Amino acid sequence: MDTKEVTKTFTYTGKPEEYTVPRDGYYYIEMGGGAGYNGGTSNYDSNGAKTSGYVYLKAGEKLYFYVGGHGEKPNTNCRTSGYEFNGGGIALPAKTGVCGASGGGATDVRLVGGSWDDTKSLISRIMVAGAGGGPAGGQYTNGDGGGLSGVTPLFVTYQSNIGVRGTQRVGGTAPTKDSCAQSTGTVGSFGKGGYGGASSASNADTGGGSGGGAGYYGGSGASGLCNGTWPGGGGSSYISGFAGSNSVKNNTTVTHTNDTLHYSGKYFIGGSMESGVTSGNGYAKISYVDVKPKKRNTCLLYTSPSPR
């Protein structure tokens, strides 16, 4: 059998990609979320998460892949509304026109197509790789896309002013507004990173609060400040059937079940989540694997000691 017929890789295009399952069997899906971006220098970028697992699919079923791109570096995509494709939080501009970095877009696979921010489409996600929040670099650690929770950036002096990670139930909380900022960052939400706040109109020369990374839940954006840039929080990941994932109840509302299993009944075997792996744009790939994979134990499963 020609594996080219059943292996497909998706790269960032800024639009959803439809995939029709060619035959019954188990498929391996792997994806990476978009990174926060500050010019491509690794010390100043955040990274997206990587997720993977095996799922049983039937011939003729349709899946929809949404691949997030990296966020934009400070002062290059300043605007007052909207998001990066697939949920990266933007950075609000000061009156002088400068802004922080935007968050990366998440990468996910869905059972329902449509615009990336359509609620029914978002609810149908069965795997999500979280994206990195907009970075700052320098003395800060940045908000990588994470596993069950995204990564909260770290800088003790201004910890209350920078972005916060998304989790399995909520987006990152809004930070405290800096005393000389125009605005603080906004909360992350289901599928979306929060906005980065605007810096002071009178003092800002560069940057501002960076936007949150998208994910199952997005990270929050950072507060604006007097001058410079603060990092946004990272988005969380999700895999149906993965220990610790918190699935939605049905296909109409964002109500959680406290169960790992997606309402569709589709679930992954051998699921894996890795924080801070993907640099640059996100990606996704799906491959037919023929035989049922072995289910892996996780650290959340108890194993009895061997008899002596």
Side-chain angles (χ1 to χ4, degrees):
M1 181 177 181
D2 187 353
T3 57
K4 291 181 179 179
E5 296 179 3
V6 290
T7 300
K8 177 72 174 178
T9 299
F10 301 92
T11 57
Y12 171 68
T13 62
K15 62 182 181 181
E17 303 283 349
E18 182 180 291
Y19 176 83
T20 302
V21 177
R23 59 179 297 173
D24 295 359
Y26 283 89
Y27 288 77
Y28 174 75
I29 296 178
E30 176 185 308
M31 53 182 58
Y37 189 71
N38 201 351
T41 303
S42 59
N43 290 340
Y44 294 93
D45 292 344
S46 63
N47 288 328
K50 175 184 173 182
T51 56
S52 61
Y54 300 85
V55 62
Y56 185 81
L57 301 170
K58 300 281 288 184
E61 287 186 299
K62 293 186 182 298
L63 300 177
Y64 302 88
F65 287 88
Y66 293 69
V67 177
H70 67 68
E72 297 296 331
K73 62 184 180 180
N75 307 327
T76 58
N77 194 25
C78 305
R79 51 196 170 118
T80 58
S81 63
Y83 292 88
E84 303 291 2
F85 177 74
N86 221 21
I90 61 170
L92 300 174
K95 291 180 180 178
T96 53
V98 299
C99 66
S102 57
T107 297
D108 60 63
V109 58
R110 313 183 187 190
L111 305 179
V112 177
S115 62
W116 73 263
D117 56 349
D118 177 77
T119 300
K120 287 189 176 181
S121 183
L122 282 170
I123 289 172
S124 77
R125 296 177 296 174
I126 56 173
M127 178 184 281
V128 183
Q139 302 176 71
Y140 308 92
T141 64
N142 291 312
D144 290 339
L148 296 173
S149 294
V151 176
T152 295
L154 178 63
F155 189 60
V156 176
T157 306
Y158 301 106
Q159 193 65 46
S160 65
N161 302 118
I162 61 181
V164 178
R165 67 186 182 180
T167 69
Q168 290 296 293
R169 292 187 65 93
V170 294
T173 55
T176 302
K177 181 178 177 290
D178 183 68
S179 60
C180 65
Q182 286 189 59
S183 59
T184 191
T186 65
V187 298
S189 59
F190 192 66
K192 301 172 183 177
Y195 287 6
S199 289
S200 166
S202 60
N203 296 330
D205 295 321
T206 58
S210 290
Y216 190 51
Y217 278 89
S220 61
S223 172
L225 62 161
C226 293
N227 188 27
T229 303
W230 279 337
S236 61
S237 298
Y238 167 82
I239 302 174
S240 176
F242 186 84
S245 288
N246 197 328
S247 298
V248 291
K249 185 176 182 179
N250 54 46
N251 64 354
T252 57
T253 59
V254 185
T255 303
H256 289 278
T257 63
N258 295 321
D259 192 355
T260 67
L261 190 64
H262 190 262
Y263 69 81
S264 65
K266 292 192 181 300
Y267 65 93
F268 288 83
I269 297 172
S272 175
M273 296 181 180
E274 298 177 65
S275 299
V277 173
T278 307
S279 60
N281 292 328
Y283 71 93
K285 67 178 180 179
I286 180 170
S287 303
Y288 177 70
V289 296
D290 192 18
V291 297
K292 182 177 181 178
K294 293 181 179 180
K295 187 173 182 178
R296 295 188 305 186
N297 287 333
T298 75
C299 61
L300 299 180
L301 296 179
Y302 174 75
T303 302
S304 60
S306 299
R308 293 179 181 270

